[in-house]
Amino acid sequence: MRSENIHMFIFFIVISHSGRLLRDLVFFLLTVACLVSIQPEAVVAEPLTQEAFVALLEKRHPVFEKERLSSAIEEATQQGYLGDTDWNLSSSLTWSREEATITAFSPDLSTSLGLQTGLSKQFWETGGRLSAIYAINRSSSSFEEIPLFSYPDTFYENSVELQYAQPLLRNRGGKLSRLQYDLKGYDVDVSGIQAVENIEEFLAASISKYLDWVYLEEQKKIMSRRLDLSRREFERTQSKFNAYLVDSADVMRSKDALNTWRQNLGLVELQLTALKEELSVLVQSDVVLRAEPDFNLYTEHRFESLASARTKLERGSRLLKILELRKQQLDVNAIGVRETGKPDLSLIAAVTFKSAEGSAGESFDFDKKDAALGLQLSVPLENTTAKAEYQRTRLQTLQLGKERQDVMLSLNASLSSLHTQLRKLSEVLELNREQIESARLRTIEETKIYEQGRGDLTFVIMSRDNEESAKLTYAENALNYQKLWVQYQALMDELYGEGIVLGSEF
């Protein structure tokens, strides 16, 4: 009430009436007006929607980044296999000293110092390997007797060799060379899908807690209204008792009802405070402590038919996608197993440029050339390892097929259960609404009968309790419905992905 209206009302009373009681009333109203004028504005709680709650989780909770790192870790492991295609540098330095046992045609003492450096590279496209080797060697010889033929005391030798080995049967086309890299690619994809699945499970549990918060707030509102009714009923009954209109039994009944709802409200407020503390820790923000949930607990959702949902689930379930990727991985591994069972036939070609002279400068002419071309064959006679690996892969494929059937049955069973529960709960919620209306009308009638002196206050209290109990039951069933809807969304992989997918409202 605005202050000028209060002053006008007081002025009207003063000029219209007189007496001690009237002066007391004027003083009371002035006091109320002063208190209203100096009372600070009430703190309005911030609304927090389900989407905003999820956004806080995604921004602050470490589980999201943890799960996303899983795929990055697998991808980093896969990239490590690319090291097989890197150029590899090798080098060796050797020194040797040799004394001859027969000195007729050989030096008594020979020493040698050599350096060899090589580069090699594996080509996954063909399975071949290219290598280039450069070698330089310095040799010294000494003779106690003059040899029959001229033999230099010191000479230098340089050589460059290029060699390429190409598999013709096993690992042709580089199937075995890149096998581990290809297999790890499936692990990368699986870890990415599994990360989203894990996040969705976490979200389902967190949103369930958010819905508990919504439910407790609704409980608090219902019980606060009931407590206010009980308080007013107690005050009215006390006034009637003072006026000798009712007996003390009615006062005690109304007081018992008041105390009961005080206790009920206190318990709900305790649970609400504890849950808000838990949620504030979960989102790592105290915004929850200052907020109220902005969510319609009684919203009902449209969902497709059971047959349509089953088809959609079979085509798009993440769990089934993971199993399909595992099957593809086993198929690729089976190709590798068959490849290892083939004979190892390789074509090897090599060419060498070399020179040797008594002086270091002249030894770099590379005026001599060698060439070689050959076939190298290796055949495992028993092939025990390949056979065992092939048998293991075949059994794993069979097991994976059975696992897919098992997962599909579980998904269908869960879908049927959730679909039925949602449909039936929707009918129960309609009955709850009818029950609330019926209880409300009964309360009105019981109150009329009591006011006419033809009834008992007990029936009025019972009727009001039944009305509030019906509202609480409605809220509880609505909570169960919303939680089932979250489970349904998670089962259909609609809870997390590009964003939160909320159901349509009626």
Side-chain angles (χ1 to χ4, degrees):
M1 181 182 293
R2 297 174 59 89
S3 59
E4 56 266 34
N5 294 335
I6 294 175
H7 297 155
M8 291 176 63
F9 178 67
I10 295 171
F11 177 75
F12 176 77
I13 294 175
V14 170
I15 64 175
S16 304
H17 302 277
S18 61
R20 180 181 178 86
L21 181 60
L22 200 56
R23 288 197 302 272
D24 292 341
L25 179 60
V26 170
F27 177 76
F28 172 76
L29 290 174
L30 285 173
T31 304
V32 171
C34 292
L35 290 175
V36 170
S37 63
I38 64 174
Q39 184 179 0
E41 294 184 2
V43 178
V44 179
E46 302 174 9
L48 186 66
T49 63
Q50 179 180 317
E51 295 87 343
F53 175 75
V54 171
L56 278 174
L57 278 176
E58 191 166 6
K59 181 180 179 181
R60 299 174 180 272
H61 202 281
V63 71
F64 292 87
E65 190 62 26
K66 176 182 79 74
E67 293 297 339
R68 289 166 185 155
L69 286 174
S70 300
S71 181
I73 292 171
E74 292 292 343
E75 189 172 355
T77 304
Q78 183 192 28
Q79 293 300 311
Y81 291 109
L82 291 175
D84 292 343
T85 64
D86 292 342
W87 284 98
N88 291 316
L89 175 65
S90 60
S91 183
S92 63
L93 179 65
T94 59
W95 176 85
S96 65
R97 179 180 183 278
E98 182 180 354
E99 294 183 1
T101 55
I102 300 176
T103 60
F105 303 100
S106 60
D108 299 287
L109 179 63
S110 298
T111 59
S112 176
L113 179 63
L115 173 65
Q116 180 174 292
T117 302
L119 281 173
S120 63
K121 179 176 176 60
Q122 179 81 38
F123 295 95
W124 280 4
E125 295 81 3
T126 63
R129 176 174 288 274
L130 174 66
S131 59
I133 301 174
Y134 170 72
I136 182 172
N137 188 70
R138 177 184 181 278
S139 301
S140 299
S141 305
S142 61
F143 298 84
E144 293 184 357
E145 299 179 2
I146 299 175
L148 297 176
F149 306 100
S150 176
Y151 198 91
D153 293 339
T154 303
F155 69 92
Y156 298 86
E157 183 178 12
N158 281 278
S159 67
V160 175
E161 179 183 358
L162 296 175
Q163 179 177 305
Y164 182 78
Q166 174 61 46
L168 302 178
L169 293 177
R170 184 193 298 174
N171 197 32
R172 183 179 179 180
K175 295 183 180 68
L176 291 178
S177 298
R178 63 172 181 270
L179 178 62
Q180 295 304 317
Y181 178 86
D182 292 340
L183 292 177
K184 182 55 69 172
Y186 291 98
D187 292 338
V188 173
D189 294 338
V190 167
S191 63
I193 297 174
Q194 188 63 57
V196 175
E197 187 70 15
N198 293 342
I199 289 175
E200 191 170 60
E201 290 179 3
F202 169 77
L203 273 182
S206 300
I207 292 175
S208 180
K209 292 181 182 297
Y210 174 85
L211 292 174
D212 287 334
W213 180 23
V214 176
Y215 170 65
L216 287 175
E217 289 285 1
E218 184 68 14
Q219 263 195 323
K220 181 181 176 181
K221 292 176 184 177
I222 294 172
M223 291 185 179
S224 296
R225 288 194 298 264
R226 182 64 182 91
L227 179 61
D228 185 58
L229 287 174
S230 296
R231 183 179 292 109
R232 283 187 287 171
E233 183 63 38
F234 172 72
E235 292 171 355
R236 196 158 66 97
T237 305
Q238 185 69 47
S239 299
K240 287 185 176 182
F241 176 75
N242 295 335
Y244 303 101
L245 297 176
V246 297
D247 55 25
S248 61
D250 283 348
V251 176
M252 288 186 287
R253 290 189 188 102
S254 60
K255 187 173 183 180
D256 287 343
L258 177 62
N259 290 334
T260 298
W261 286 103
R262 278 176 177 170
Q263 294 174 18
N264 293 339
L265 182 60
L267 290 174
V268 170
E269 289 177 339
L270 176 62
Q271 296 174 20
L272 185 59
T273 301
L275 182 59
K276 291 177 72 172
E277 290 286 349
E278 180 183 357
L279 291 176
S280 68
V281 174
L282 196 64
V283 300
Q284 301 182 61
S285 172
D286 60 355
V287 67
V288 176
L289 301 177
R290 305 188 305 271
E292 283 188 359
D294 183 8
F295 184 87
N296 186 358
L297 189 63
Y298 306 105
T299 299
E300 294 186 37
H301 308 276
R302 291 189 179 95
F303 46 91
E304 53 199 334
S305 66
L306 183 58
S308 177
R310 280 177 177 168
T311 302
K312 184 177 180 180
L313 189 63
E314 187 170 359
R315 290 177 178 174
S317 172
R318 293 195 195 102
L319 296 178
L320 296 179
K321 286 181 181 178
I322 289 175
L323 293 178
E324 179 60 30
L325 286 172
R326 290 304 184 195
K327 183 181 181 301
Q328 294 176 14
Q329 188 180 40
L330 285 175
D331 292 341
V332 172
N333 187 61
I335 294 174
V337 171
R338 287 195 294 269
E339 197 70 18
T340 58
K342 295 179 180 180
D344 185 7
L345 178 63
S346 298
L347 175 66
I348 301 175
V351 60
T352 303
F353 301 89
K354 61 183 181 179
S355 60
E357 295 294 340
S359 64
E362 296 176 353
S363 66
F364 289 94
D365 293 339
F366 300 104
D367 53 347
K368 305 296 181 182
K369 301 177 183 64
D370 295 337
L373 184 65
L375 289 173
Q376 181 176 317
L377 177 64
S378 174
V379 181
L381 298 179
E382 297 295 332
N383 222 352
T384 303
T385 301
K387 290 178 181 177
E389 185 65 20
Y390 178 78
Q391 178 69 1
R392 185 177 73 90
T393 303
R394 188 182 69 85
L395 293 174
Q396 285 180 323
T397 303
L398 291 174
Q399 183 187 45
L400 198 62
K402 297 301 180 183
E403 184 177 356
R404 188 185 188 282
Q405 294 177 11
D406 179 32
V407 170
M408 195 66 229
L409 286 173
S410 298
L411 290 175
N412 278 327
S414 298
L415 177 62
S416 298
S417 175
L418 289 172
H419 199 278
T420 301
Q421 289 183 76
L422 283 170
R423 185 164 46 83
K424 293 297 183 182
L425 257 181
S426 182
E427 298 173 1
V428 170
L429 291 174
E430 179 62 30
L431 293 176
N432 288 151
R433 288 189 286 269
E434 294 178 3
Q435 184 182 15
I436 291 172
E437 180 62 17
S438 175
R440 186 184 69 83
L441 295 175
R442 181 182 173 185
T443 299
I444 294 175
E445 293 301 319
E446 291 289 352
T447 303
K448 284 183 180 179
I449 293 173
Y450 176 71
E451 293 294 339
Q452 294 171 0
R454 295 185 294 113
D456 195 286
L457 181 62
T458 302
F459 296 112
V460 176
I461 294 173
M462 288 176 59
S463 181
R464 284 177 177 166
D465 287 346
N466 287 337
E467 184 180 349
E468 300 307 316
S469 178
K471 292 178 181 178
L472 290 173
T473 301
Y474 181 40
E476 184 177 359
N477 288 335
L479 171 66
N480 293 331
Y481 179 88
Q482 298 300 338
K483 286 188 174 182
L484 286 173
W485 176 246
V486 170
Q487 294 176 33
Y488 178 83
Q489 286 183 298
L491 182 68
M492 300 299 294
D493 297 331
E494 296 176 345
L495 194 62
Y496 182 79
E498 295 296 329
I500 298 300
V501 182
L502 298 178
S504 302
E505 297 182 7
F506 281 117

Short mmCIF file of all heavy atoms in Angstrom, two decimals, residues 58 63-68 193-206 318 495-497:
data_model
loop_
_atom_site.label_atom_id
_atom_site.label_comp_id
_atom_site.label_asym_id
_atom_site.label_seq_id
_atom_site.Cartn_x
_atom_site.Cartn_y
_atom_site.Cartn_z
N GLU A 58 29.17 -27.70 -17.65
CA GLU A 58 30.11 -27.89 -18.76
C GLU A 58 31.27 -26.91 -18.68
O GLU A 58 32.39 -27.20 -19.11
CB GLU A 58 29.37 -27.72 -20.09
CG GLU A 58 30.20 -28.15 -21.29
CD GLU A 58 29.36 -28.30 -22.55
OE1 GLU A 58 28.16 -27.96 -22.51
OE2 GLU A 58 29.91 -28.76 -23.56
N VAL A 63 34.94 -33.16 -15.46
CA VAL A 63 34.65 -34.42 -16.15
C VAL A 63 34.56 -34.21 -17.65
O VAL A 63 34.93 -35.11 -18.43
CB VAL A 63 33.34 -35.04 -15.61
CG1 VAL A 63 32.12 -34.25 -16.04
CG2 VAL A 63 33.22 -36.48 -16.07
N PHE A 64 34.13 -33.04 -18.11
CA PHE A 64 33.99 -32.80 -19.54
C PHE A 64 35.36 -32.79 -20.22
O PHE A 64 35.56 -33.46 -21.23
CB PHE A 64 33.27 -31.47 -19.79
CG PHE A 64 31.82 -31.49 -19.37
CD1 PHE A 64 31.46 -31.18 -18.07
CD2 PHE A 64 30.83 -31.82 -20.27
CE1 PHE A 64 30.13 -31.20 -17.68
CE2 PHE A 64 29.51 -31.84 -19.89
CZ PHE A 64 29.16 -31.53 -18.59
N GLU A 65 36.29 -32.03 -19.65
CA GLU A 65 37.63 -31.98 -20.24
C GLU A 65 38.33 -33.31 -20.09
O GLU A 65 39.08 -33.74 -20.98
CB GLU A 65 38.43 -30.86 -19.56
CG GLU A 65 39.76 -30.55 -20.26
CD GLU A 65 39.58 -30.06 -21.68
OE1 GLU A 65 38.51 -29.49 -22.00
OE2 GLU A 65 40.50 -30.26 -22.49
N LYS A 66 38.11 -33.99 -18.97
CA LYS A 66 38.73 -35.30 -18.77
C LYS A 66 38.31 -36.28 -19.86
O LYS A 66 39.16 -36.99 -20.43
CB LYS A 66 38.34 -35.85 -17.40
CG LYS A 66 38.87 -37.26 -17.12
CD LYS A 66 38.40 -37.77 -15.77
CE LYS A 66 36.97 -38.24 -15.82
NZ LYS A 66 36.82 -39.53 -16.50
N GLU A 67 37.04 -36.33 -20.16
CA GLU A 67 36.55 -37.26 -21.17
C GLU A 67 37.03 -36.86 -22.56
O GLU A 67 37.36 -37.72 -23.38
CB GLU A 67 35.02 -37.32 -21.14
CG GLU A 67 34.46 -37.94 -19.86
CD GLU A 67 34.87 -39.40 -19.71
OE1 GLU A 67 35.23 -40.03 -20.70
OE2 GLU A 67 34.84 -39.90 -18.56
N ARG A 68 37.08 -35.57 -22.83
CA ARG A 68 37.54 -35.13 -24.16
C ARG A 68 39.01 -35.43 -24.36
O ARG A 68 39.47 -35.63 -25.49
CB ARG A 68 37.28 -33.63 -24.32
CG ARG A 68 35.80 -33.28 -24.47
CD ARG A 68 35.54 -31.81 -24.29
NE ARG A 68 34.11 -31.52 -24.33
CZ ARG A 68 33.54 -30.48 -23.77
NH1 ARG A 68 34.29 -29.61 -23.09
NH2 ARG A 68 32.23 -30.27 -23.85
N ILE A 193 33.52 -41.51 -29.04
CA ILE A 193 32.11 -41.84 -28.80
C ILE A 193 31.88 -42.19 -27.33
O ILE A 193 30.90 -41.77 -26.72
CB ILE A 193 31.69 -43.02 -29.70
CG1 ILE A 193 31.79 -42.61 -31.18
CG2 ILE A 193 30.28 -43.47 -29.38
CD1 ILE A 193 31.52 -43.74 -32.14
N GLN A 194 32.81 -42.95 -26.76
CA GLN A 194 32.67 -43.34 -25.36
C GLN A 194 32.74 -42.13 -24.43
O GLN A 194 32.05 -42.07 -23.40
CB GLN A 194 33.77 -44.34 -24.99
CG GLN A 194 33.62 -44.96 -23.61
CD GLN A 194 32.36 -45.78 -23.48
OE1 GLN A 194 32.13 -46.71 -24.25
NE2 GLN A 194 31.52 -45.44 -22.51
N ALA A 195 33.55 -41.12 -24.81
CA ALA A 195 33.64 -39.91 -24.00
C ALA A 195 32.30 -39.19 -23.96
O ALA A 195 31.84 -38.74 -22.90
CB ALA A 195 34.72 -38.98 -24.57
N VAL A 196 31.63 -39.09 -25.11
CA VAL A 196 30.31 -38.45 -25.17
C VAL A 196 29.30 -39.25 -24.35
O VAL A 196 28.47 -38.69 -23.63
CB VAL A 196 29.84 -38.32 -26.63
CG1 VAL A 196 28.42 -37.77 -26.69
CG2 VAL A 196 30.78 -37.41 -27.41
N GLU A 197 29.39 -40.58 -24.43
CA GLU A 197 28.48 -41.44 -23.67
C GLU A 197 28.69 -41.25 -22.17
O GLU A 197 27.72 -41.17 -21.40
CB GLU A 197 28.71 -42.90 -24.06
CG GLU A 197 27.72 -43.87 -23.46
CD GLU A 197 26.33 -43.75 -24.02
OE1 GLU A 197 26.16 -43.12 -25.09
OE2 GLU A 197 25.39 -44.29 -23.40
N ASN A 198 29.95 -41.17 -21.74
CA ASN A 198 30.24 -40.96 -20.31
C ASN A 198 29.75 -39.60 -19.83
O ASN A 198 29.22 -39.46 -18.72
CB ASN A 198 31.74 -41.10 -20.06
CG ASN A 198 32.25 -42.51 -20.28
OD1 ASN A 198 31.47 -43.47 -20.30
ND2 ASN A 198 33.54 -42.66 -20.47
N ILE A 199 29.93 -38.58 -20.67
CA ILE A 199 29.45 -37.24 -20.32
C ILE A 199 27.94 -37.25 -20.19
O ILE A 199 27.36 -36.63 -19.27
CB ILE A 199 29.91 -36.21 -21.37
CG1 ILE A 199 31.42 -35.97 -21.25
CG2 ILE A 199 29.17 -34.89 -21.20
CD1 ILE A 199 31.99 -35.07 -22.32
N GLU A 200 27.27 -37.96 -21.09
CA GLU A 200 25.81 -38.02 -21.05
C GLU A 200 25.33 -38.71 -19.77
O GLU A 200 24.34 -38.29 -19.16
CB GLU A 200 25.28 -38.75 -22.28
CG GLU A 200 23.79 -38.62 -22.46
CD GLU A 200 23.32 -39.14 -23.80
OE1 GLU A 200 23.54 -40.33 -24.07
OE2 GLU A 200 22.73 -38.37 -24.57
N GLU A 201 26.02 -39.77 -19.36
CA GLU A 201 25.65 -40.44 -18.11
C GLU A 201 25.83 -39.50 -16.93
O GLU A 201 25.00 -39.46 -16.01
CB GLU A 201 26.50 -41.70 -17.92
CG GLU A 201 26.17 -42.82 -18.90
CD GLU A 201 27.05 -44.03 -18.68
OE1 GLU A 201 27.86 -44.01 -17.73
OE2 GLU A 201 26.93 -45.00 -19.47
N PHE A 202 26.92 -38.74 -16.93
CA PHE A 202 27.15 -37.77 -15.86
C PHE A 202 26.07 -36.70 -15.86
O PHE A 202 25.56 -36.30 -14.79
CB PHE A 202 28.53 -37.13 -16.04
CG PHE A 202 28.78 -35.95 -15.15
CD1 PHE A 202 29.08 -36.12 -13.81
CD2 PHE A 202 28.71 -34.66 -15.65
CE1 PHE A 202 29.29 -35.02 -12.98
CE2 PHE A 202 28.92 -33.56 -14.84
CZ PHE A 202 29.22 -33.74 -13.51
N LEU A 203 25.70 -36.23 -17.05
CA LEU A 203 24.65 -35.21 -17.14
C LEU A 203 23.31 -35.74 -16.64
O LEU A 203 22.57 -35.01 -15.97
CB LEU A 203 24.52 -34.73 -18.59
CG LEU A 203 25.43 -33.59 -19.03
CD1 LEU A 203 25.13 -33.21 -20.47
CD2 LEU A 203 25.28 -32.38 -18.13
N ALA A 204 23.00 -36.98 -16.99
CA ALA A 204 21.73 -37.57 -16.55
C ALA A 204 21.66 -37.58 -15.03
O ALA A 204 20.61 -37.25 -14.45
CB ALA A 204 21.58 -38.97 -17.11
N ALA A 205 22.75 -37.97 -14.37
CA ALA A 205 22.77 -37.98 -12.91
C ALA A 205 22.69 -36.57 -12.34
O ALA A 205 22.00 -36.33 -11.34
CB ALA A 205 24.04 -38.69 -12.42
N SER A 206 23.38 -35.62 -12.97
CA SER A 206 23.38 -34.24 -12.47
C SER A 206 22.02 -33.58 -12.67
O SER A 206 21.53 -32.87 -11.77
CB SER A 206 24.47 -33.43 -13.19
OG SER A 206 25.74 -34.00 -12.97
N ARG A 318 24.85 -45.02 -29.68
CA ARG A 318 26.31 -44.93 -29.58
C ARG A 318 26.94 -46.26 -29.20
O ARG A 318 28.02 -46.61 -29.68
CB ARG A 318 26.69 -43.87 -28.53
CG ARG A 318 26.33 -42.45 -28.91
CD ARG A 318 27.05 -41.45 -28.01
NE ARG A 318 26.44 -40.14 -28.13
CZ ARG A 318 25.60 -39.61 -27.27
NH1 ARG A 318 25.29 -40.30 -26.18
NH2 ARG A 318 25.09 -38.41 -27.44
N LEU A 495 20.47 -36.48 -25.01
CA LEU A 495 20.69 -35.59 -23.87
C LEU A 495 21.93 -34.73 -24.05
O LEU A 495 21.99 -33.61 -23.57
CB LEU A 495 20.81 -36.41 -22.58
CG LEU A 495 20.71 -35.64 -21.26
CD1 LEU A 495 19.35 -34.99 -21.14
CD2 LEU A 495 20.96 -36.57 -20.09
N TYR A 496 22.91 -35.27 -24.76
CA TYR A 496 24.15 -34.52 -24.95
C TYR A 496 24.70 -34.83 -26.34
O TYR A 496 24.66 -35.96 -26.81
CB TYR A 496 25.20 -34.90 -23.90
CG TYR A 496 26.49 -34.11 -24.04
CD1 TYR A 496 26.57 -32.80 -23.56
CD2 TYR A 496 27.60 -34.66 -24.65
CE1 TYR A 496 27.73 -32.07 -23.68
CE2 TYR A 496 28.78 -33.93 -24.77
CZ TYR A 496 28.85 -32.64 -24.29
OH TYR A 496 30.00 -31.93 -24.42
N GLY A 497 25.18 -33.79 -27.00
CA GLY A 497 25.74 -33.93 -28.33
C GLY A 497 26.10 -32.55 -28.79
O GLY A 497 26.99 -31.90 -28.25
#
